[in-house]
Amino acid sequence: MKIAYLDCSTGISGDMTLGALIDVGVPIDKLGRGIASLQLPGVELLTETVVKGGFRATSIRIKHPEQHAHRHLSDIHEILDRADAISPAQKELARSIFRVVAEAEAHVHGSTLDKIHFHEVGAIDSIVDIVGAAIGFDLLGLDQVVCSPLPPGQGQVKIDHGICTVPTPGTAEILRGIPLVDVPIEAELTTPTGAAIVKTIVDRFGALPAMTIEAVGYGAGTMTFPQRANLLRMFIGEAVVQPEHDFITVLETNLDDVSGEIIGHTRQKLMQAGALDVFTTSISMKKDRPAVVLTVLAMPEKAAELEDILFSETGTFGIRRHQVERSKRARQPHTVSTLWGDVQGKLGWRNGEPAIFTPEFDSCSQVAESASVPLREVYRAAEFAFSQSQSPVQSTAAPHDHDHDHDHDHDHDHDHDHDHDHDHDHDHDHDHG
């Protein structure tokens, strides 16, 4: 499995990301053709090898005419639509990054996606950074992107709306759900563009994973810090993930003012949207009010969509999100024949142990209804049919096809605090030190 690791020891910005991608081996001529097809007059991508804190790195500069336009999300889409040298997948990734910024801007300004206009993130250099990053990550053909916790920085910065504390409101909104780390530098280390790229492409956060390193790239920031190299380091390599282990996202929220009907409806919508499992746990909250924890298990790429459903359907003020490693059986679909018809189910393997067979409820129910026999009899017949089909020396090697439906991995680490995010400021410049 091809994997990238982003070491953001001094944060991340759009130009640092683009510099690291080029330094790690993304062909600059392909990036140049894609950016040129945006048809932005006078725009040129310039690269330079620099030394930051004693280490060589690639620095990016976007040459362009002076401009004062503030673009809407629709303007960005029009620019991407006319770019004939950018693939549909690259355009979609770029749109996703811009949408993350637009949603954050709309939230902090109290506006909507169609009305909000980008400030600095709509500037030409930010457009080039985001589109270049989308092209670069697509060309790398990665299976997974892992990222270190992000340092937002410290102090205050001047933006279009005045003086703001780091992280500024728009960046803070983007960083929701992303683990942060304190690095004592008086500067904005993680910019809106960098945060949006991470929010869109990263599958999970943590330390450098077990991998065989094939390439390392360094993207330089514009500022120079004493005692720290202002660099984004990108590792590319191969990671082996055993079929019995993977990573999932756990979403949890405490509910004490929602009816059972709403919770049931929300669960159905979450399952239809691709949740691995949804369940409730009874708890007692402040003032001894009975309540439930609504927990959602999801693949990382589905977490944002499912989180939106939780917010809209329950009206919750906060959702806890964390990544967990899951142990599971490798599995594949399997069908057995019974006296009343075929029953579908799953075969599961683990650590070379003999395979087990689990009949699917829906299949057993259909057979029971059509044959007018008790459901439990169909279950017993299916399990017996599987046991009879197994020879004493049958191989127990793990299958190659993995069916991820109906996983019931109930991690019950519950935090009963309500999260309240009341930022009301505005975003600003994307270039950072």
Side-chain angles (χ1 to χ4, degrees):
M1 181 172 70
K2 191 173 184 181
I3 190 171
Y5 182 71
L6 305 180
D7 176 16
C8 307
S9 58
T10 54
I12 183 170
S13 64
D15 54 346
M16 293 172 77
T17 304
L18 195 51
L21 285 166
I22 292 172
D23 203 54
V24 87
V26 173
I28 192 170
D29 58 332
K30 293 185 178 181
L31 286 172
R33 284 197 297 270
I35 292 169
S37 71
L38 296 173
Q39 301 178 40
L40 297 172
V43 171
E44 186 178 358
L45 175 64
L46 303 177
T47 64
E48 180 185 5
T49 298
V50 299
V51 175
K52 287 284 183 180
F55 300 100
R56 181 209 58 79
T58 296
S59 175
I60 296 296
R61 185 168 66 89
I62 311 300
K63 181 180 178 182
H64 60 84
E66 184 177 357
Q67 50 121 34
H68 304 283
H70 290 316
R71 296 178 173 88
H72 292 77
L73 187 59
S74 58
D75 299 321
I76 301 295
H77 287 171
E78 289 178 6
I79 292 173
L80 288 169
D81 288 342
R82 70 193 183 207
D84 56 4
I86 301 177
S87 73
Q90 294 164 1
K91 289 181 181 180
E92 185 57 34
L93 181 54
R95 289 191 185 98
S96 297
I97 298 172
F98 277 111
R99 185 178 178 87
V100 167
V101 179
E103 288 174 344
E105 290 275 0
H107 179 80
V108 300
H109 287 282
S111 185
T112 60
L113 287 181
D114 58 332
K115 293 181 180 179
I116 196 70
H117 66 271
F118 295 106
H119 292 282
E120 286 75 13
V121 179
I124 288 178
D125 50 356
S126 293
I127 293 173
V128 172
D129 287 341
I130 291 175
V131 173
I135 296 172
F137 279 108
D138 178 72
L139 290 175
L140 285 175
L142 301 168
D143 298 303
Q144 190 177 77
V145 180
V146 185
C147 184
S148 68
L150 297 183
Q154 298 180 355
Q156 295 182 322
V157 291
K158 188 176 186 303
I159 64 173
D160 283 353
H161 304 280
I163 303 297
C164 274
T165 301
V166 174
T168 55
T171 304
E173 180 66 21
I174 296 173
L175 290 173
R176 284 199 306 144
I178 294 176
L180 305 182
V181 63
D182 181 30
V183 173
I185 295 179
E186 292 284 323
E188 182 190 40
L189 300 182
T190 296
T191 69
T193 301
I197 291 171
V198 167
K199 187 91 168 187
T200 305
I201 68 163
V202 170
D203 298 298
R204 60 185 176 92
F205 295 86
L208 181 68
M211 62 187 296
T212 301
I213 298 173
E214 297 176 353
V216 183
Y218 297 84
T222 55
M223 294 177 64
T224 299
F225 304 135
Q227 300 181 335
R228 289 183 187 265
N230 187 16
L231 301 170
L232 169 65
R233 184 164 56 160
M234 183 181 300
F235 295 85
I236 304 295
E238 288 290 327
V240 178
V241 178
Q242 298 297 326
E244 295 84 4
H245 297 274
D246 65 359
F247 290 87
I248 62 172
T249 298
V250 179
L251 305 175
E252 293 180 332
T253 184
N254 296 358
L255 303 173
D256 62 358
D257 57 355
V258 179
S259 69
E261 291 86 353
I262 295 298
I263 293 174
H265 173 73
T266 302
R267 184 187 185 281
Q268 291 177 7
K269 292 197 67 173
L270 290 165
M271 293 300 295
Q272 291 169 0
L276 298 175
D277 198 6
V278 183
F279 56 92
T280 59
T281 307
S282 296
I283 59 172
S284 179
M285 293 180 60
K286 57 186 178 183
K287 299 182 180 179
D288 294 325
R289 290 200 301 264
V292 299
V293 177
L294 181 59
T295 303
V296 182
L297 306 184
M299 300 307 295
E301 63 270 17
K302 283 284 186 180
E305 177 185 355
L306 298 174
E307 192 175 73
D308 288 342
I309 294 174
L310 278 174
F311 273 118
S312 64
E313 294 294 338
T314 69
T316 182
F317 276 80
I319 297 171
R320 298 179 294 279
R321 177 198 290 212
H322 56 278
Q323 302 281 339
V324 298
E325 185 175 5
R326 177 177 63 162
S327 298
K328 61 178 185 177
R329 295 182 187 273
R331 69 204 70 182
Q332 71 178 21
H334 187 71
T335 301
V336 297
S337 296
T338 72
L339 178 64
W340 305 292
D342 290 346
V343 173
Q344 297 172 349
K346 288 194 189 78
L347 287 182
W349 285 262
R350 183 176 181 272
N351 297 331
E353 297 172 355
I356 64 170
F357 174 71
T358 302
E360 290 284 5
F361 166 77
D362 288 342
S363 181
C364 290
S365 178
Q366 291 172 4
V367 170
E369 184 176 355
S370 63
S372 298
V373 295
L375 178 63
R376 65 179 181 275
E377 295 297 333
V378 178
Y379 268 100
R380 290 171 181 168
E383 291 167 349
F384 179 75
F386 173 73
S387 66
Q388 290 296 104
S389 68
Q390 302 303 292
S391 69
V393 294
Q394 182 168 345
S395 171
T396 60
H400 296 291
D401 296 322
H402 303 287
D403 180 358
H404 298 295
D405 295 336
H406 307 293
D407 294 324
H408 301 286
D409 182 5
H410 301 312
D411 188 327
H412 295 292
D413 294 329
H414 303 309
D415 175 5
H416 303 315
D417 293 335
H418 285 290
D419 300 327
H420 302 280
D421 185 357
H422 297 304
D423 288 337
H424 298 290
D425 285 331
H426 312 294
D427 215 348
H428 71 299
D429 196 286
H430 85 291
D431 289 329
H432 105 289

